[in-house]
Amino acid sequence: ETDMEHNDLNFERLRLHITAIRSTGEHCVQINRIEFSFFHPQSVDNPGGNSPYHERANNLLSSNQRTKWLDSLFAMNRSATLIFNLDEVRTPEMSSLSFNF
């Protein structure tokens, strides 16, 4: 617990740090799309990652099911980080975050 009340949370960025993937033989990580029910990301950054031009992190926000994000440095870095840049969001109904992949 912190001094911050759960019903008074404000965010400008959300960081997703990926440390493992399903297939141990893969050298990259890729995701088609991420949706949030109460956040509205304006952009996504992949600091330290490397993506082909047509597979950049902002593709995660696309409604086009044929696009994806790919980080080809996942194996070398042993992780990948995504930073979702949000408009400041107040979420009074939120008490925790969860992700389903």
Side-chain angles (χ1 to χ4, degrees):
E1 285 297 310
T2 66
D3 292 335
M4 182 183 293
E5 293 290 326
H6 285 298
N7 63 354
D8 193 24
L9 300 175
N10 292 296
F11 299 91
E12 292 180 5
R13 288 180 299 280
L14 178 69
R15 181 177 72 134
L16 176 61
H17 189 72
I18 302 165
T19 58
I21 56 176
R22 289 184 220 178
S23 176
T24 58
E26 293 295 322
H27 299 287
C28 62
V29 61
Q30 54 188 333
I31 300 173
N32 171 265
R33 186 173 171 186
I34 294 179
E35 291 183 22
F36 299 97
S37 58
F38 43 80
F39 292 131
H40 302 288
Q42 300 303 307
S43 63
V44 186
D45 297 316
N46 178 214
N50 184 49
S51 301
Y53 179 77
H54 62 283
E55 295 178 332
R56 303 267 187 217
N58 275 327
N59 285 350
L60 293 169
L61 306 178
S62 174
S63 60
N64 183 346
Q65 293 293 322
R66 301 178 100 155
T67 64
K68 66 179 177 183
W69 160 73
L70 181 140
D71 185 346
S72 62
L73 295 179
F74 177 80
M76 186 177 85
N77 292 337
R78 297 184 182 167
S79 68
T81 300
L82 294 167
I83 306 290
F84 293 86
N85 302 299
L86 315 169
D87 283 339
E88 186 175 329
V89 177
R90 184 181 174 112
T91 55
E93 73 283 356
M94 186 182 74
S95 61
S96 66
L97 291 175
S98 63
F99 297 93
N100 297 313
F101 293 99

